[in-house]
Amino acid sequence: MAELRGALIGCGFFAVNQMHAWRDIEGASIVAICDRDPERLRIVGDQFGVARRYADAAAMFAAEKLDFVDIATTVGSHRPLVEMAAENRVPVICQKPFAPTLADAKAMVKACTDAGVPLMVHENFRWQSPIQAVRAVLDSGEIGTPFFGRISFRSGYDVFSGQPYLATGKRFIIEDLGIHILDIARFLLGDVTSLTARTTRINPKIAGEDVATMLMDHAGGATSVVDCSYATRLATEPFPETLVELDGSDGTIRLAQGYQLTVTGKNGTTVKDVSPPLLPWASRPWHNIQESVLAIQKHWVDSLVSGKEPATSGADNLRTFALVEAAYAGAESRAPVQIDDLLK
Ligand code: NAD
Ligand code: 89V
């Protein structure tokens, strides 16, 4: 079968990981790149040997015959670029956060649905192999039916040096990082019916909240706590590990720091190292995230080839995005937010 011809829009900090991953994937390659910053275009074009380079996405859509486009710009440009892909009938991957607001996200899903164009949000955290290992234990039935979860990301890592824009937005940890952790909660425990949230800012040098605690009711009956912090100094820095505690009717799962997975269930207790592989182009501590980039992009190619909806399709991501909106609204009102009210 002919290789799928892809293009990348946005050649910044994170896109380099996406380019490495595309190089590792059989059946697809990036034939053109676009960035409005000529320096980033040159750096990424030279590093990955891509000759076809554009400063303007519309010019690229007009000139190239593409099977998909991978949007790796920051959130402000996601809606116009996704809508441009839909107008050009080009299947599209869009980085998280999918959109600035849930209303924008709904409009983007509609534009792609109306155009018959596949849309996947690059929500990669659920593709990390330790998280997939937790999902596999749940699927095995070893701990029975989960009734409680705690999905936790607490760190003191300096994310602002690589991504300076994170220090300037009115919204920070829920929109940028919490969105991943909320998605993992959905992935493990199912959709959410109501959410209560509290937030605070500890770092005086940033504009948004850097601590968030969320309590959620899941449609299947479980209760979960999702807690995120970039203001937590620990003896051993855990970035970027997501820790998981699940209690079920027949046992428990604990994904602890250092990628240690302990399962106590119907067959006793097992302890396993579920450390992610260190890909040749990856570097610690980011290797966990980098490996998940390869996994989600492989999933996209499989989805395009098979015609099946990707796991983190635009429609699926609306349900994660609604939790972000609910968390901000709930932190302000200090009242529980009903998720179905936002999804209407
Ligand atoms: P960045 O600012 O380093 O890179 C963005 C690039 O897009 C810049 O080079 C900019 O010039 C270019 N750009 C912006 N608008 C454009 C437009 N309309 N046309 C062409 N080029 C345009 O940002 P980043 O840190 O690489 O983040 C990019 C996205 O990736 C963000 O949405 C961020 O949240 C996300 N991200 C995801 C993960 C993850 O694990 N999924 C990790 C880090 C960042
Ligand atoms: O995943 C992200 O979007 C990143 C990071 C892991 C640093 O929060 O911003």
Side-chain angles (χ1 to χ4, degrees), residues 289-306:
I289 291 178
Q290 289 164 318
E291 177 232 0
S292 70
V293 169
L294 179 60
I296 194 172
Q297 290 180 191
K298 273 187 180 158
H299 174 64
W300 168 252
V301 171
D302 291 345
S303 303
L304 275 191
V305 170
S306 67

Side-chain angles (χ1 to χ4, degrees), residues 21-167:
W22 286 124
R23 217 162 46 176
D24 285 358
I25 294 172
E26 271 178 40
S29 64
I30 297 298
V31 299
I33 57 172
C34 170
D35 200 299
R36 60 188 178 194
D37 176 349
E39 187 59 4
R40 290 306 307 170
L41 201 54
R42 186 189 62 73
I43 290 171
V44 171
D46 290 356
Q47 182 179 356
F48 294 94
V50 184
R52 303 172 80 80
R53 304 175 189 181
Y54 297 85
D56 175 54
M60 185 173 78
F61 279 112
E64 298 289 338
K65 193 172 160 13
L66 299 171
D67 296 311
F68 71 94
V69 65
D70 187 6
I71 298 172
T73 60
T74 40
V75 66
S77 50
H78 287 177
R79 181 170 175 180
L81 291 172
V82 166
E83 289 178 347
M84 200 183 288
E87 274 159 32
N88 285 279
R89 301 283 190 277
V90 175
V92 54
I93 309 171
C94 181
Q95 255 297 348
K96 52 58 66 180
F98 185 31
T101 68
L102 184 58
D104 288 308
K106 285 177 182 172
M108 292 152 77
V109 170
K110 185 172 181 325
C112 290
T113 306
D114 290 352
V117 159
L119 164 64
M120 181 179 85
V121 178
H122 187 119
E123 180 42 79
N124 51 321
F125 268 42
R126 63 161 80 175
W127 287 98
Q128 294 169 4
S129 49
I131 303 299
Q132 291 284 326
V134 171
R135 182 67 254 175
V137 176
L138 280 176
D139 290 342
S140 75
E142 181 66 14
I143 72 154
T145 305
F147 60 84
F148 169 81
R150 177 181 175 207
I151 327 290
S152 178
F153 187 108
R154 312 193 76 78
S155 165
Y157 189 80
D158 173 20
V159 280
F160 310 107
S161 58
Q163 296 163 269
Y165 58 89
L166 294 178

Side-chain angles (χ1 to χ4, degrees), residues 265-295:
K266 293 172 182 162
N267 297 304
T269 295
T270 57
V271 183
K272 215 165 129 185
D273 182 345
V274 290
S275 295
L278 181 66
L279 296 172
W281 48 269
S283 54
R284 293 178 194 279
W286 287 84
H287 63 300
N288 182 25
I289 291 178
Q290 289 164 318
E291 177 232 0
S292 70
V293 169
L294 179 60

